[in-house]
Amino acid sequence: MKILVTGGMGFIGSHTVCELLEGGHEVVIVDNLCNSSVSVLDDIQAITHARPVFYQEDIRDKAAMDRIFAENKIDAVIHFAGLKAVGESVRMPLEYYHNNITGTLVLCDAMRKGGCKRIVFSSSATVYGMNNTVPFREDMPTSCTNPYGWTKMMLEQILQDLAVSDPEWSVVLLRYFNPIGAHPSGIIGENPNGIPNNLFPYIARVAAGTLPCLSVFGNDYDTPDGTGVRDYIHVVDLAEGHLKALDWTVANRGVEIVNLGTSRGTSVLELVAAFEKASGVKIPYKITERRPGDIASCYADTEKAARVLGWKAKYNIEDMCRDGWNYTAKGMKK
Ligand code: NAD
Ligand code: WQD
């Protein structure tokens, strides 16, 4: 199939593009490079020996999106493009709503005009909010506390409404838990600009010596060691989940909401210990205040992913730390 991947130059998108190319699909990427670099194209080629077609365009650009669908017979879309930093979304709500919501509206309109009605969308476990108990199941009520989360909730609603309006649409809303790690080649991975907000890239920078010490945000949660528990998932497992979701859109119509996680919770201190073991580097840390908006525990019920998509994560925390460290260590040598 010919797949349009929006945000295909980013962290999860680039890993998914590699899986698609290795699975024999043709790939067209649209990305405005606001949070990625054009060099990712060479990286994808180094891994897969194939080069996707690339449009450096903003998905909010109607004319550009219409042109992409006119120039390519797209069978399905995997839609990653969006802004994703929770704290930044609180400071810049208009930019987040405009980028994520308007971008998706323009994309879906171009899809409709281009006769392509299959879409796999990057949602997030953030939509489970503060009031559910773990493990999180897809039928639990959703809520959120910041503009980023609202964009995901609103887009889930918009895509469901679209499928109701026209039964030819096939929509899979994938709720990712905490994607970490890197491609086993060490060629692509996550390398955020500035000081990382998320735990795994922060630990990696401390291990690399570019940041001095990790702050552990609270050790008085109701969890086994008091630190926050999350469902970390290897980015390659996540990428494979998208290929399964794509298969679903080919065989079915309507909407499915599916968690992509491992169903295993790991605490901050457990992740630190696993990273130390994988890297052989001691990670200095100090306990600090809780981060506002954080919940104690977040992990997935993955029964639906297995039943509906036939997908299950293969990699464990050790694999994630090994591959994440391999990527970071390779970058240090450059
Ligand atoms: P990323 O920032 O690495 O990738 C997003 C890509 O989209 C970037 O390459 C960026 O340049 C591009 N982009 C952003 N706005 C665009 C626009 N208007 N037009 C064209 N391109 C645009 O992020 P990621 O971690 O790969 O996340 C991908 C998706 O998954 C996002 O929608 C994110 O909200 C969602 N998600 C991520 C996580 C996570 O922890 N990484 C968790 C849950 C959901
Ligand atoms: C994990 C744990 C922190 C940094 C976020 C978004 C979510 C999704 C994934 C997009 C928590 C603790 C963190 C640090 C720490 N993204 N921590 N020191 O908050 O689960 O999820 O990314 O959809 O929407 O909210 O991930 O990696 O920031 O935090 O102690 O320097 O690590 O308190 O317990 P989170 P995270």
Side-chain angles (χ1 to χ4, degrees), residues 86 124 126 148 178 198-199 215-217 230 232 268 291 294:
V86 171
S124 167
T126 197
Y148 168 73
N178 289 57
N198 297 115
L199 179 62
S215 294
V216 174
F217 298 148
R230 296 290 182 274
Y232 297 98
V268 175
R291 183 172 64 180
D294 275 354

Side-chain angles (χ1 to χ4, degrees), residues 97 100-101 121-130 132 140-161 173 175 257:
Y97 286 117
N100 294 4
I101 307 276
F121 171 65
S122 305
S123 189
S124 167
T126 197
V127 302
Y128 288 110
M130 313 278 286
N132 287 306
M140 285 177 164
T142 52
S143 67
C144 52
T145 54
N146 58 75
Y148 168 73
W150 278 113
T151 68
K152 293 300 179 192
M153 272 185 68
M154 289 177 184
L155 288 169
E156 285 197 358
Q157 185 65 48
I158 288 167
L159 290 166
Q160 291 181 81
D161 290 344
L173 307 174
R175 292 182 178 161
I257 302 179

Side-chain angles (χ1 to χ4, degrees), residues 76-289:
V77 173
I78 306 184
H79 177 30
F80 295 104
L83 300 176
K84 64 165 181 176
V86 171
E88 187 180 66
S89 79
V90 175
R91 292 190 301 277
M92 302 165 59
L94 295 184
E95 284 75 7
Y96 270 67
Y97 286 117
H98 188 46
N99 195 77
N100 294 4
I101 307 276
T102 311
T104 305
L105 294 177
V106 171
L107 168 70
C108 289
D109 195 40
M111 289 177 69
R112 184 171 57 176
K113 284 191 255 171
C116 171
K117 295 182 180 177
R118 296 187 188 113
I119 185 166
V120 176
F121 171 65
S122 305
S123 189
S124 167
T126 197
V127 302
Y128 288 110
M130 313 278 286
N131 302 320
N132 287 306
T133 46
V134 284
F136 294 151
R137 273 195 333 270
E138 290 85 349
D139 56 4
M140 285 177 164
T142 52
S143 67
C144 52
T145 54
N146 58 75
Y148 168 73
W150 278 113
T151 68
K152 293 300 179 192
M153 272 185 68
M154 289 177 184
L155 288 169
E156 285 197 358
Q157 185 65 48
I158 288 167
L159 290 166
Q160 291 181 81
D161 290 344
L162 187 57
V164 169
S165 75
D166 176 353
E168 285 185 3
W169 279 84
S170 306
V171 177
V172 183
L173 307 174
L174 295 176
R175 292 182 178 161
Y176 311 154
F177 281 67
N178 289 57
I180 62 168
H183 194 270
S185 64
I187 295 173
I188 52 173
E190 188 178 21
N191 191 15
N193 292 328
I195 297 179
N197 300 306
N198 297 115
L199 179 62
F200 191 84
Y202 203 107
I203 292 176
R205 297 240 175 126
V206 174
T210 49
L211 287 170
C213 177
L214 170 71
S215 294
V216 174
F217 298 148
N219 67 348
D220 57 352
Y221 284 105
D222 183 16
T223 60
D225 65 17
T227 65
V229 165
R230 296 290 182 274
D231 186 342
Y232 297 98
I233 171 168
H234 197 300
V235 63
V236 172
D237 269 333
L238 195 70
E240 284 172 3
H242 290 75
L243 273 73
K244 296 290 189 183
L246 214 50
D247 291 344
W248 187 92
T249 66
V250 172
N252 300 276
R253 286 178 180 178
V255 185
E256 286 290 357
I257 302 179
V258 184
N259 288 338
L260 293 186
T262 68
S263 75
R264 267 213 60 205
T266 302
S267 75
V268 175
L269 293 181
E270 283 172 334
L271 188 63
V272 167
F275 202 98
E276 285 180 338
K277 195 160 170 231
S279 63
V281 179
K282 189 97 198 112
I283 311 292
Y285 70 84
K286 58 176 190 289
I287 307 292
T288 63
E289 290 293 293

